[in-house]
């Protein structure tokens, strides 16, 4: 096990003038906070979803993953409103030398420091650089090299936020709280479930669908019952520095770094042919099959479009495309999934809903068992851009409880 590298930062110190090498942002913007409960008054919310049960936090040690974003800042605010005093953790991802990539780590850390200072908290920086590059980046590059479509954000939650951080600091605490838009509940047998948030656009249960049962047991989501506008309103009311800060659109922990540039850094370029699927006609050239995914239309650089990528031949390094705004070849209504990961050990029934990408929509389907952990998904709708390597995230028929996810193998 790699020993933790922990840097303590007094919360009252802003780090705007400090050069911080490394990268960090995206859906997994890191950092954390410890609380001891002093009161259990529950705040009023405008949404119809119930807030967390703060009674279960009484006399517990809580680590809150904090970052420079508005969501994790409001997590600290919400818990502080219940008499909780956090110790904050910021997860550092990046190299120790100067990195040529622009990133927002310095600004993130400055914002996190401001939140910690406002609520009288310590701030610790935990170095998970090696774990991120050895695990999340290795997973991503192995998948794209094989012509698959990975999701580093999903694995980032499992391997870093609830993985490496837990090994280094999270194991000292009873709960780990994050700024995810997700909720949990227990059934009549006491089993804990990951459940969706009231904000269909921001719901992040799909990014959490690879965490394990023990990780879910330790997870709490204090803003999961809010919609994004409510979180912004709370941040404005509390005069938080990040109240109007834009949401990160980058890769988990990598902030402003473009995904194509991320892949190029590790795999380089390998030019190949772009061929029309229906005719076999050479349409153009590409820079490497790993820069493209099934269903992609933008960024192809082909004339006479629109063109959609519908198939890859990894061995020959050929991309196949179909022409038109809505080509039939870009859709599938059934596809196999394998290695189903159940979060709490319960497998889905026949009638389910699912997602294959981070969108507000859930699709109805029936699951046909095909062996241990394998299913054929029979979707009620034709699904655009079904790509091998994507995670198919499976929910109950009401799109409320998340069972887990499996990799598409079509």
């Amino acid at each position: 096990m790699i020993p933790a590298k922990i840097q303590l930062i007094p919360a009252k110190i802003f780090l705007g003038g400090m050069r911080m090498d490394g990268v960090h942002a995206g859906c997994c913007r890191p950092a954390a906070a410890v609380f001891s409960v002093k009161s259990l008054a529950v705040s009023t919310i405008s949404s119809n979803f119930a807030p967390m049960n703060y009674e279960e936090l009484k006399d517990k040690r809580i680590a809150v993953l904090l970052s420079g974003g508005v969501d994790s800042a409001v997590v600290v605010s919400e818990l502080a409103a219940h008499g909780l005093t956090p110790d904050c953790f910021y997860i550092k991802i990046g190299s120790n030398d100067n990195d040529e990539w622009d990133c927002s780590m310095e600004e993130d850390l400055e914002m996190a420091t401001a939140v910690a200072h406002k609520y009288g908290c310590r701030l610790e920086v935990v170095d998970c650089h090696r774990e991120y590059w050895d695990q999340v980046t290795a997973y991503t590059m192995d998948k794209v090299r094989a012509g698959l479509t990975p999701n580093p954000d999903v694995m980032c939650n499992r391997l870093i936020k609830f993985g490496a951080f837990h090994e280094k600091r999270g194991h000292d605490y009873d709960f780990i709280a994050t700024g995810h838009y997700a909720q949990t509940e227990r059934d009549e047998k006491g089993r804990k479930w990951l459940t969706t948030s009231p904000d269909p656009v921001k719901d992040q249960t799909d990014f959490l669908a690879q965490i394990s049962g023990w990780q879910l047991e330790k997870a709490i989501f204090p803003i999961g019952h809010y919609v994004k506008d409510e979180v912004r309103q709370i941040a404005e009311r509390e005069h938080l520095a990040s109240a109007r800060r834009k949401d990160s659109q980058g890769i988990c922990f990598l902030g402003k770094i473009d995904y194509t540039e991320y892949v190029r850094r590790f795999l380089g370029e390998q030019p190949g042919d772009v061929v029309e699927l229906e005719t076999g006609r050479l349409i153009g050239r590409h820079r490497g099959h790993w820069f493209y995914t099934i269903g992609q239309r933008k960024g192809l650089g082909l004339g006479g479009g629109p063109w959609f990528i519908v198939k890859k031949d990894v061995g020959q390094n050929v991309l196949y495309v179909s022409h038109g705004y809505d080509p039939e070849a870009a859709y599938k209504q059934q596809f196999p999934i394998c290695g189903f990961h159940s979060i709490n050990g319960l497998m889905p029934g026949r009638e389910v809903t699912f997602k294959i990408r981070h969108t507000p929509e859930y699709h109805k389907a029936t699951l046909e068992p095909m062996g241990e952990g394998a299913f054929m998904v029979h979707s009620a709708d034709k699904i655009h851009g079904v790509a091998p390597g994507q995670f198919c995230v499976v929910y109950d028929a009401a799109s409320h409880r998340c069972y887990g996810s499996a990799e598409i193998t079509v």
Side-chain angles (χ1 to χ4, degrees):
M1 183 181 299
I2 301 166
K5 297 180 181 178
I6 301 171
Q7 177 183 356
L8 298 183
I9 299 176
K12 63 182 179 181
I13 297 176
F14 284 80
L15 302 175
M18 182 185 300
R19 168 64 182 169
M20 299 297 296
D21 296 309
V23 287
H24 156 58
C27 84
C28 294
R29 306 175 89 148
V34 178
F35 300 85
S36 58
V37 179
K38 296 179 181 176
S39 68
L40 294 170
V42 177
S43 60
T44 302
I45 62 171
S46 59
S47 69
N48 293 324
F49 283 63
M52 275 188 349
N53 176 15
Y54 282 90
E55 185 64 34
E56 72 174 2
L57 305 185
K58 187 176 182 180
D59 300 323
K60 301 295 184 181
R61 302 194 69 201
I62 305 170
V64 180
L65 297 187
L66 174 68
S67 77
V70 64
D71 298 326
S72 60
V74 172
V75 167
V76 177
S77 173
E78 287 290 285
L79 293 172
H82 292 81
L84 304 164
T85 305
D87 285 343
C88 300
F89 297 86
Y90 183 93
I91 301 175
K92 178 178 180 288
I93 302 295
S95 61
N96 294 322
D97 53 4
N98 291 335
D99 197 308
E100 70 273 17
W101 288 348
D102 179 34
C103 72
S104 59
M105 179 180 177
E106 183 175 331
E107 185 179 354
D108 286 343
L109 192 50
E110 189 172 285
M111 292 283 186
T113 303
V115 173
H117 174 71
K118 179 178 178 67
Y119 295 103
C121 314
R122 289 191 311 146
L123 181 63
E124 297 184 12
V125 177
V126 179
D127 188 345
C128 291
H129 160 71
R130 187 179 300 179
E131 290 85 351
Y132 182 85
W133 298 107
D134 287 353
Q135 298 178 45
V136 178
T137 298
Y139 150 80
T140 303
M141 297 309 150
D142 286 347
K143 293 294 184 182
V144 297
R145 187 184 289 110
L148 305 177
T149 302
N151 191 324
D153 292 336
V154 170
M155 300 309 290
C156 196
N157 283 311
R158 174 178 174 174
L159 299 174
I160 304 301
K161 293 185 82 171
F162 293 100
F165 171 75
H166 182 269
E167 290 181 5
K168 293 185 173 189
R169 296 296 278 117
H171 64 270
D172 291 328
Y173 308 109
D174 299 298
F175 294 103
I176 298 175
T178 74
H180 284 103
Y181 287 82
Q183 301 188 102
T184 62
E185 67 181 21
R186 293 193 182 275
D187 62 20
E188 65 281 358
K189 295 184 178 180
R191 295 172 296 207
K192 192 173 185 180
W193 288 87
L194 177 66
T195 60
T196 53
S197 85
D199 191 328
V201 174
K202 301 302 295 184
D203 178 80
Q204 293 172 309
T205 51
D206 52 331
F207 290 133
L208 295 163
Q210 277 283 311
I211 65 172
S212 299
W214 69 265
Q215 293 173 320
L216 182 64
E217 284 292 337
K218 294 197 69 166
I220 55 175
F221 309 114
I223 65 167
H225 58 292
Y226 290 129
V227 298
K228 185 71 180 194
D229 286 348
E230 292 174 315
V231 170
R232 293 279 185 195
Q233 291 168 12
I234 294 170
E236 293 275 6
R237 184 190 72 208
E238 292 294 311
H239 306 291
L240 299 178
S242 57
R244 298 186 181 182
R245 196 178 187 200
K246 292 183 179 179
D247 292 341
S248 171
Q249 301 298 316
I251 310 165
C252 168
F253 285 118
L254 300 187
K256 299 177 183 178
I257 295 174
D258 177 73
Y259 180 75
T260 298
E261 185 60 32
Y262 173 56
V263 174
R264 181 183 289 110
R265 174 169 178 146
F266 290 91
L267 300 184
E269 296 189 357
Q270 186 179 6
D273 290 339
V274 179
V275 175
E276 185 173 21
L277 179 68
E278 292 80 3
T279 65
R281 180 167 61 100
L282 179 66
I283 301 297
R285 298 279 287 172
H286 64 79
R287 294 171 297 159
H289 69 79
W290 42 68
F291 295 119
Y292 309 92
T293 188
I294 303 298
Q296 182 175 335
R297 175 172 66 88
K298 296 181 179 180
L300 303 185
L302 302 174
W307 297 96
F308 285 87
I309 296 175
V310 295
K311 181 182 176 183
K312 291 184 181 183
D313 184 330
V314 176
Q316 297 299 316
N317 194 30
V318 175
L319 295 180
Y320 290 92
V321 296
S322 281
H323 184 267
Y325 284 96
D326 211 22
E328 185 68 24
Y331 288 84
K332 290 188 181 295
Q333 199 160 354
Q334 64 180 34
F335 52 89
I337 59 176
C338 70
F340 191 89
H341 171 81
S342 171
I343 297 173
N344 64 6
L346 295 178
M347 298 297 283
R350 178 175 171 80
E351 303 298 324
V352 299
T353 57
F354 73 94
K355 289 183 180 185
I356 64 168
R357 57 179 60 90
H358 187 60
T359 61
E361 297 81 22
Y362 300 86
H363 302 281
K364 294 182 179 180
T366 58
L367 292 184
E368 176 188 355
M370 302 290 289
E372 186 174 356
F375 297 90
M376 181 65 71
V377 178
H378 298 275
S379 175
D381 311 308
K382 292 182 178 180
I383 308 299
H384 182 270
V386 178
Q390 287 175 319
F391 285 113
C392 176
V393 183
V394 178
Y395 301 82
D396 63 14
S399 305
H400 175 61
R401 290 177 173 176
C402 178
Y403 282 97
S405 60
E407 189 172 305
I408 296 173
T409 59
V410 65

